Amino acid sequence: MTTDTEEPTLTVDELAARAGLTVRTVRFYSSKGLLPPPVIGPRRVGHYSQEHLARLALIEELQRQGMTLAAIERHLQQLPADLSAQDLALHRAVVASWAPDAAEDVTREELERRAGRRLGEEDLERLVAMNIIERAEGTPDRLDGSDPPDSLASPDSLASPDSFRVDPALLALGVQLLDVPLAHESILAARGVLLEHSRAAARELSALLREAVGEHESVAAVKSLSAHMQPLVVQALLTTFQRSLKAELREWLKES
């Protein structure tokens, strides 16, 4: 499970740390067939790649959705065997989009464990600015642009300067953004573009839905149609965005 650009270089201890898991958990997943075997290097040391790391993140997300290990195994078996780390991350993003709000209070030590890395003050400030985490001092808006739920705004839940409130579904995204070679301002600007256009698309799709359902349909009928349409719309948006972005990148590379 390697790519053309990156060889597997992580030991099981490093993989577990990066995933915010214990070595025992990683080995348990491997024993259940959820994680492909590592590449065996010198001295019989197993090495893992970014694809292993992305697969672990997907497994954890599926568990948060309430899937059993047997169901997760069946789900993973249906995925193409040659998915890259980026493909797995996109798949996880689609899965996470259906997760309910689940903000949690964590200490800095627990936050770093879940992030799979040490977080310096600059990292914390960037995560706060991106609305990935919240310090005890306040409750700003979240990354997806929505207002935080009532539980997120509780002034009594964050008593320590080293305590944070975090949505587990957003943390992995925020940690990945820390390593993106773009200025912080550019990342926030990109967030603004995505929010603006996604909200516009949602408004237009909602208008089409209202027109299709009609004024005299019951609330139950509207909810039923929405439930059937949402997975199709998410998949269509993701596919269209991927193809459009690739086309734009190809044009950019031609011009440069």
Side-chain angles (χ1 to χ4, degrees):
M1 203 167 74
T2 62
T3 68
D4 294 334
T5 58
E6 184 173 354
E7 291 297 321
T9 59
L10 300 172
T11 66
V12 66
D13 296 272
E14 292 169 336
L15 177 69
R18 291 280 299 275
L21 303 171
T22 64
V23 172
R24 182 179 180 181
T25 299
V26 172
R27 287 180 171 151
F28 175 74
Y29 288 156
S30 297
S31 70
K32 294 295 183 181
L34 303 181
L35 199 65
V39 174
I40 304 300
R43 300 181 181 178
R44 305 293 299 170
V45 175
H47 290 90
Y48 298 82
S49 66
Q50 293 299 315
E51 283 82 358
H52 287 92
L53 185 61
R55 187 169 287 257
L56 282 174
L58 175 57
I59 292 169
E60 289 291 293
E61 188 59 54
L62 291 172
Q63 281 200 300
R64 275 194 288 270
Q65 295 284 343
M67 292 181 66
T68 64
L69 291 179
I72 292 174
E73 182 179 7
R74 291 192 297 269
H75 182 88
L76 295 177
Q77 287 174 346
Q78 296 174 2
L79 300 179
D82 59 348
L83 287 182
S84 67
Q86 290 75 23
D87 294 329
L88 289 166
L90 284 171
H91 189 78
R92 178 191 170 280
V94 173
V95 172
S97 67
W98 302 107
D101 291 327
E104 299 178 22
D105 298 333
V106 298
T107 63
R108 180 166 179 170
E109 180 181 3
E110 174 65 12
L111 180 65
E112 291 181 337
R113 188 193 70 79
R114 296 190 185 192
R117 58 187 280 182
R118 293 291 300 274
L119 297 172
E121 284 303 315
E122 183 178 351
D123 295 329
L124 293 174
E125 290 301 328
R126 291 188 69 183
L127 290 173
V128 169
M130 290 186 289
N131 299 323
I132 301 295
I133 64 174
E134 298 174 7
R135 290 185 183 274
E137 288 77 14
T139 53
D141 292 340
R142 300 164 63 221
L143 180 65
D144 60 7
S146 64
D147 291 328
D150 292 340
S151 61
L152 197 63
S154 172
D156 300 325
S157 60
L158 294 171
S160 168
D162 272 343
S163 66
F164 301 87
R165 177 147 279 207
V166 59
D167 187 331
L170 294 179
L171 181 60
L173 171 63
V175 172
Q176 290 175 10
L177 287 174
L178 293 177
D179 296 325
V180 173
L182 287 175
H184 183 56
E185 292 75 14
S186 298
I187 293 176
L188 293 181
R191 170 182 177 269
V193 170
L194 290 173
L195 285 176
E196 177 185 355
H197 291 283
S198 61
R199 285 170 173 167
R203 282 194 294 269
E204 293 189 29
L205 289 171
S206 295
L208 290 174
L209 181 63
R210 287 195 297 270
E211 183 178 343
V213 170
E215 296 181 358
H216 304 292
E217 292 289 349
S218 65
V219 173
V222 174
K223 289 183 177 180
S224 176
L225 179 58
S226 176
H228 282 86
M229 287 295 296
Q230 280 186 348
L232 301 177
V233 169
V234 169
Q235 186 61 53
L237 286 172
L238 180 60
T239 301
T240 302
F241 177 75
Q242 281 184 282
R243 292 175 178 174
S244 299
L245 184 58
K246 287 180 180 179
E248 290 294 327
L249 289 174
R250 282 195 295 267
E251 290 298 319
W252 177 38
L253 293 175
K254 286 180 183 178
E255 297 173 359
S256 60

